[in-house]
Amino acid sequence: MNPGIYRQVIQIMKRTGYTTDEIGNQIPATEPFLRIHAYVNNLSGKEYWEAAQAQSENTVVFTVRYCRTLQDVNTREYFILWQGREYNITSLDNVQYKNETLKIRATAKE
């Protein structure tokens, strides 16, 4: 594993419920969960065309080093902040169950 490829810093955020603003509107509440270095890659080849058919062209794969803290991450309560954009996590893949790398597939929030 080449540690030099993990150049991008991503923030994994946790949805904690809802709060209300000054006029009573409910706003989703979030808190930072984990800041981690990642290798970020767009889909290519077969994966790209499968995503295009499902109309999820803004899908990005974040590859990170595995850590036990990431065991709690799920697709409902967590999302990723990267370069000022939010990405909803669609799947997590512990590559070959070796606990070395984790691929997080996410789609850009519109």
Side-chain angles (χ1 to χ4, degrees), residues 11-103:
Q11 180 82 35
I12 299 178
M13 303 291 289
K14 182 176 183 179
R15 293 179 179 98
T16 57
Y18 291 92
T19 60
T20 55
D21 64 7
E22 59 276 355
I23 60 172
N25 294 327
Q26 287 193 344
I27 301 169
T30 61
E31 65 182 26
F33 178 72
L34 183 66
R35 184 180 159 109
I36 193 166
H37 287 81
Y39 170 72
V40 182
N41 194 12
N42 288 326
L43 296 179
S44 60
K46 183 178 177 183
E47 287 180 329
Y48 173 79
W49 292 109
E50 287 175 2
Q53 287 179 345
Q55 296 180 353
S56 57
E57 296 87 16
N58 294 328
T59 301
V60 178
V61 177
F62 298 93
T63 305
V64 298
R65 290 182 181 171
Y66 182 86
C67 69
R68 290 178 193 238
T69 307
L70 294 172
Q71 290 176 344
D72 297 333
V73 174
N74 61 51
T75 59
R76 289 174 282 117
E77 297 176 310
Y78 297 87
F79 65 95
I80 294 174
L81 278 179
W82 178 59
Q83 294 185 341
R85 292 188 71 185
E86 289 184 15
Y87 292 84
N88 293 321
I89 297 172
T90 56
S91 68
L92 293 116
D93 178 21
N94 182 356
V95 179
Q96 297 178 347
Y97 294 99
K98 290 183 178 180
N99 293 346
E100 292 176 358
T101 58
L102 183 72
K103 285 189 176 184

